[in-house]
Each structure stands twice: as C-alpha cells, then as structure tokens.
Amino acid sequence: MSGTLVLCGAPIGDVRDASPRLAEVLATADVIAAEDTRRVLRLAHGLGVTISGRIMSCYDAVEGARAAQLTDYLRQGATVALVTDAGMPAVSDPGFRVVAAAAAAGMTVTVVPGPSAVTAALAVSGLPSDRWTFEGFLPRRGADRRARLRELAGETRTMVFLESPHRLAAGLRDLLAVFGADRAAVLCRELTKTFEEIVRGDLAALGAWATDGRVIRGEFTLVIAGAARRPPVTVTGLAGAAADIARDTGTDVAAQAGAATVSAAALAAEVERRSAAGMSRNQARRAVAAELGVSRNDVYAAELAARPPGPGRHA
C-alpha cells in the first residue's frame, strides 16, 4: 500500500481564499511538511481546524533530506500534505525535490489548487495573457541580473517576475536600462492583503514610484509586456534599391510589398549589386541587413541559398 502526497495551495494573503478541501487535508493528513511550521499552525487556526498529524519543517535548506524521509512515509501508506507559506509548493517555493522523489518512487501525487500571486497579478495587470512566461526571481547580483535581462529583452510574451522589497529599486533600474523606459508594466504589492496596491504605467513610472522616498515593504509581483513583435521585412525601406532588386532578379517588387516580405533571392541579389558597385561583401551584407532590419546571418544564409553548388564559392 502506498500513501498520497498532497500539494496544498495556501492563501497568498487573505485566509478566506482557502478552500474547504485545504482545511480538510490539514485536519486529516498523517504528516504535514511545512515551509514554516509556525505559519501552518496559524493557517490551521484561521481555518478553524486542528492539525492531528505530525508536523515537519520542509524549507529550502532541508528539502533534499526531507524528500527521502517523506517518501518513506508515503511507502508506509501515509497521507503527506506539503504546504508552503503562500501559494503553490514548488512554484518559486520548496517542493520540487519532494515531488520529484515521490514521483520517481511511484507514489501518488495530487493537488489542492489554491491562490497564486503569479496568475492573480497576470489577471489584474490588463496585459496580454494568451501567451506568457513566469521568470520568478531575477538573480541577486547586478551583473547576473543584467545578463539575464539581456537574454529576455526580445521575449514577445508577457513576463511575470517576483521581487523582494530590498531589491525592487535595483531590479527596476536594470529593467529600465535593458528593456527601455516605455515598456508597459504593472507592479502588484501585497495582493489580497490589507495594503494591496497595484501600480500601472511603464518601467520609467514604476522606477520613479520605487525611488520617490517611500519605504518599500511587502511582497511584489511584476508583470511586464513582451517586446514588440518585429514586423516582417518590407521592400518599403529599400528606397532606390527596390527598383534595382526588381531589375536584377525579375522580382515583382509591388507583389512583394503587398506580401510585406523580401525573398532570400532578393536579399542575395542586393548584396551582389552592392559588391559589384565596389563594396566589400561584408560591407554589403551589413548595409542590406541595416536597411531591411534583418540580421547579417539571415543575409548570409540567403547568399548561400542563392549560390549554385560546386567549387568556386567565396565568402
């Protein structure tokens, strides 16, 4: 006989958001693994239930050791409830190692869904939510944080971050520098709690809010609009080169403009035309890439595709 691991979504602020099922699990579980044992006792008190099972701590530093111990309880048929301070275990909270160990051992894992700061902030942000990505906490060190943000600068999906109060101003400063001042963003503080606050604007406005002398307290969820999608390459930006492409390749430029794209053959032909006019091939690639808003790799790939097979190729 094997037991069941129950992941318990805890309220992120208002205890009234807890489900009746959460109260039932806390009251009946054989073992409760809690990120903070004092907080789970306060939660149970707020729900009007008495915990009868064994309570064990399961915070970040001890989770690895607890995973094996809790799996042993599951093998013995126990019901183990995993509860973090707020929100869902394993989502920027302890729990991943416990779930992985239980699943690897073939134990049953189920969930009591509950409130989430991530989806709550996304819902109230008013930013696109059909496609989004959860990025959690940014790195603590400034250099690492900026490097991560540079990796995300081109992300077109809405992004959700968590941030601690003492790093909020520095994080917003780096976001503004990398993403730009006018990127739409919404900052959610203390969601569902007494001092809930939602700040809307762009990164410049949020940065000003965080540095206007106020005392930064609470838990923050930051929702940021994705980068604008890069428009398809158009012939419009070529000016006089459009006619040359049409002449040299026989391409119907008007039709291409209607389709808002330039073919690989046209890109390659434009590089050839500029090379013949005296530019080096590297200069020609850079110029075509800059005018059309494409990468030099794209231009080079177009050249390769346009060349006939066999010897005599040149770079």
Side-chain angles (χ1 to χ4, degrees):
M1 183 176 75
S2 65
T4 300
L5 175 64
V6 186
L7 309 181
C8 297
I12 59 176
D14 194 326
V15 72
R16 294 172 299 176
D17 293 334
S19 70
R21 188 171 164 224
L22 174 61
E24 179 184 338
V25 170
L26 291 178
T28 60
D30 300 301
V31 179
I32 294 179
E35 182 177 9
D36 186 321
T37 57
R38 295 164 299 180
R39 291 188 68 160
V40 78
L41 287 169
R42 288 199 297 269
L43 174 60
H45 178 75
L47 295 175
V49 301
T50 300
I51 294 175
S52 59
R54 177 178 181 179
I55 302 176
M56 299 172 55
S57 61
C58 188
Y59 50 93
D60 281 325
V62 301
E63 186 189 353
R66 288 287 190 263
Q69 191 175 359
L70 293 171
T71 301
D72 285 339
Y73 280 122
L74 292 171
R75 289 193 180 99
Q76 295 166 26
T79 295
V80 176
L82 181 61
V83 189
T84 52
D85 292 346
M88 185 58 62
V91 180
S92 282
D93 270 333
F96 164 75
R97 296 178 184 87
V98 175
V99 175
M107 301 293 106
T108 300
V109 181
T110 188
V111 62
V112 176
S116 165
V118 177
T119 53
L122 182 67
V124 303
S125 72
L127 295 175
S129 57
D130 54 335
R131 297 287 186 275
W132 56 279
T133 176
F134 176 53
E135 295 298 329
F137 287 95
L138 286 166
R140 294 172 181 270
R141 292 183 62 251
D144 294 338
R145 185 168 56 243
R146 289 185 290 275
R148 178 61 184 140
L149 290 175
R150 284 191 289 271
E151 293 174 354
L152 293 170
E155 174 60 68
T156 58
R157 294 171 294 180
T158 298
M159 291 165 279
V160 184
F161 299 87
L162 302 177
E163 195 52 273
S164 61
H166 62 280
R167 290 200 303 270
L168 180 66
L172 285 169
R173 185 169 57 247
D174 288 341
L175 279 160
L176 195 154
V178 177
F179 285 9
D182 59 352
R183 183 76 72 92
V186 177
L187 183 64
C188 302
R189 184 177 80 90
E190 296 288 89
L191 283 172
T192 79
K193 299 177 184 177
T194 302
F195 299 104
E196 174 180 292
E197 186 173 7
I198 298 173
V199 186
R200 305 176 189 273
D202 54 24
L203 286 173
L206 267 56
W209 179 91
T211 55
D212 69 352
R214 73 181 67 243
V215 177
I216 302 296
R217 291 176 179 161
E219 297 175 351
F220 293 88
T221 308
L222 179 62
V223 187
I224 302 179
R229 292 186 180 275
R230 196 179 212 174
V233 176
T234 65
V235 176
T236 306
L238 273 177
D244 294 325
I245 292 176
R247 184 194 66 227
D248 294 343
T249 68
T251 303
D252 184 344
V253 177
Q256 283 200 7
T261 61
V262 171
S263 68
L267 288 174
E270 181 59 14
V271 173
E272 291 294 338
R273 186 189 70 80
R274 295 181 186 228
S275 297
M279 279 188 177
S280 72
R281 298 194 74 81
N282 278 336
Q283 289 174 325
R285 289 168 190 148
R286 282 196 296 269
V288 171
E291 286 193 39
L292 288 171
V294 299
S295 71
R296 276 182 282 172
N297 285 341
D298 289 339
V299 176
Y300 185 59
E303 287 185 88
L304 291 178
R307 291 176 190 169
R313 291 186 173 183
H314 56 282

